[in-house]
Amino acid sequence: MSERKVLNKYYPPDFDPAKIPKLKLPKDRQYVVRLMAPFNMRCKTCGEYIYKGKKFNARKETVQNEVYLGLPIFRFYIKCTRCLAEITFKTDPENTDYTMEHGATRNFQAEKLLEEEEKRMQKEREEEELNNPMKVLENRTKDSKLEMEVLENLQELKELNQRQANVDFEAMLKQYKEMEQEQKRREQEEDEQEIKAMLEQAQNRRLLVDSDSDEEPAKPHVKPEAKTKPTDILQEDPQPQSKKLKTESWERSVGKLTTKAQLAGLVTVRKQKPSPALANGKGNQETPASSGASPTATGTTASSLSLLGAYSDSEDSAGD
């Protein structure tokens, strides 16, 4: 099976690479690259600020006749975002930075110039000391004198501050001791108050427990009576609880007919009408029988009471 992707190419036997024409490109050829602004700058034409990190589609070219240690230097062309004026800057491999060339001014340039000036002075001093040993001695003497002057000025400032600031150390210690004693006293008072509150809370709990025990006396424990005989269960109340409840509700609504005195109030003695003979002939005579109850009426009342008493006894037995 042949390979889908061919890695090797066929060179015929009469192949001569010297006959291949070479592509000649100009040395100042420009390429379009995408980059970000390396520093803050301000356009000279319109005054627009271009901040570091702003992205541009720039043109890049190699600077002719400028090389640092064999490293080429590149130039970049960008356009202002407001007026479309051309701005150029190039690389600075010596300082690992970029240098502004045309169309804008770099912001915060003063600080960079100061640093460069310090570096230049330090470099010149090192070159002088390298070639002239007497210069090294003079520089050391100058450095020592400068250091002594700085120390003297510092000491004078310290003495001046001590003269102006009259500090009483005894008063400071006394004040510190008073503050410490005051703090201890406050802590003791807080502890006493906390203990007092805890005691009051415990006393209140005891009083509440005692009052609850007085209001609710202990109920005596009633032991169930032991059944000595197996036949004692027959003597207990055979009525179920539901029937007892029904009887009680009936007695509350209607009344309980248990006493003979209550039933006696319900019975009235019926008086017999006098006969016509007695009304005509003996109307004027008063007999003890006519003034009181007749023997027949007395017998009738007694018999009625006996019947009602028997009825009430049967009702009581049924209720029990």
Side-chain angles (χ1 to χ4, degrees):
M1 183 177 180
S2 62
E3 294 183 2
R4 181 174 57 85
K5 186 176 181 181
V6 180
L7 300 177
N8 298 325
K9 296 181 179 180
Y10 172 74
Y11 295 98
D14 57 347
F15 175 73
D16 187 5
K19 295 180 181 180
I20 299 175
K22 292 183 179 180
L23 182 62
K24 293 182 180 180
L25 297 174
K27 293 183 179 180
D28 56 349
R29 182 186 176 187
Q30 294 182 351
Y31 300 91
V32 177
V33 295
R34 183 78 169 172
L35 57 79
M36 292 188 292
F39 45 78
N40 298 329
M41 64 184 78
R42 184 181 183 184
C43 179
K44 288 182 179 180
T45 305
C46 63
E48 178 72 12
Y49 286 96
I50 300 172
Y51 297 98
K52 181 180 179 180
K54 181 72 175 176
K55 291 184 178 181
F56 293 94
N57 291 325
R59 292 179 289 114
K60 184 187 80 169
E61 70 177 7
T62 304
V63 180
Q64 300 297 323
N65 303 324
E66 288 189 23
V67 178
Y68 175 75
L69 301 178
L71 298 175
I73 295 174
F74 300 101
R75 182 182 288 113
F76 299 94
Y77 298 87
I78 62 174
K79 291 184 179 181
C80 177
T81 56
R82 184 176 180 182
C83 64
L84 300 179
E86 192 174 58
I87 300 171
T88 62
F89 56 89
K90 59 183 180 179
T91 58
D92 186 10
E94 183 178 0
N95 300 317
T96 62
D97 198 3
Y98 292 84
T99 57
M100 195 72 224
E101 193 174 25
H102 172 70
T105 57
R106 182 172 180 175
N107 297 342
F108 310 108
Q109 189 72 17
E111 185 178 358
K112 183 181 179 183
L113 294 174
L114 182 61
E115 292 177 357
E116 290 179 355
E117 185 66 21
E118 289 179 355
K119 289 181 180 179
R120 186 182 61 78
M121 292 175 64
Q122 184 69 20
K123 188 176 181 181
E124 289 178 357
R125 181 177 176 178
E126 290 177 356
E127 290 178 354
E128 289 178 358
E129 291 178 355
L130 183 62
N131 299 327
N132 191 357
M134 294 300 294
K135 195 68 175 177
V136 176
L137 184 59
E138 290 177 2
N139 291 336
R140 288 181 182 177
T141 306
K142 287 180 181 180
D143 293 341
S144 62
K145 285 182 180 180
L146 182 62
E147 187 176 357
M148 291 296 292
E149 289 178 0
V150 171
L151 291 175
E152 288 177 359
N153 293 333
L154 183 60
Q155 188 67 25
E156 289 179 0
L157 291 173
K158 287 182 179 180
E159 292 177 358
L160 183 61
N161 291 334
Q162 288 179 359
R163 291 173 188 172
Q164 293 179 355
N166 296 323
V167 180
D168 191 0
F169 295 100
E170 297 295 334
M172 290 177 61
L173 293 173
K174 186 178 180 180
Q175 186 179 3
Y176 177 74
K177 287 180 180 179
E178 290 177 357
M179 290 175 61
E180 190 175 6
Q181 290 176 0
E182 183 68 19
Q183 186 176 2
K184 288 182 180 179
R185 186 179 61 79
R186 288 180 182 177
E187 290 178 357
Q188 289 178 359
E189 290 180 357
E190 290 178 358
D191 294 340
E192 290 176 358
Q193 290 178 1
E194 188 174 358
I195 292 169
K196 188 176 180 180
M198 292 173 66
L199 291 174
E200 289 179 357
Q201 189 176 4
Q203 189 174 2
N204 293 334
R205 287 180 181 176
R206 288 180 183 176
L207 292 174
L208 289 174
V209 172
D210 294 341
S211 62
D212 294 342
S213 62
D214 293 340
E215 291 176 1
E216 298 179 0
K219 296 180 180 180
H221 182 67
V222 180
K223 293 183 179 181
E225 296 180 358
K227 298 178 182 179
T228 56
K229 296 180 182 180
T231 57
D232 290 344
I233 193 172
L234 301 175
Q235 298 178 3
E236 294 181 355
D237 189 5
Q239 293 184 355
Q241 189 70 17
S242 60
K243 192 170 183 180
K244 288 183 180 180
L245 294 174
K246 289 181 180 180
T247 306
E248 291 176 359
S249 63
W250 171 265
E251 289 175 355
R252 282 196 300 270
S253 61
V254 178
K256 186 175 181 182
L257 303 176
T258 56
T259 58
K260 296 180 180 180
Q262 295 175 356
L263 294 174
L266 298 175
V267 179
T268 56
V269 180
R270 187 176 181 181
K271 295 181 181 182
Q272 291 184 356
K273 295 180 180 181
S275 62
L278 292 174
N280 295 328
K282 299 178 180 180
N284 297 325
Q285 296 180 359
E286 292 180 359
T287 58
S290 62
S291 60
S294 64
T296 56
T298 304
T300 306
T301 303
S303 62
S304 303
L305 290 172
S306 62
L307 290 173
L308 289 172
Y311 177 74
S312 63
D313 292 338
S314 63
E315 287 290 329
D316 292 340
S317 63
D320 294 337

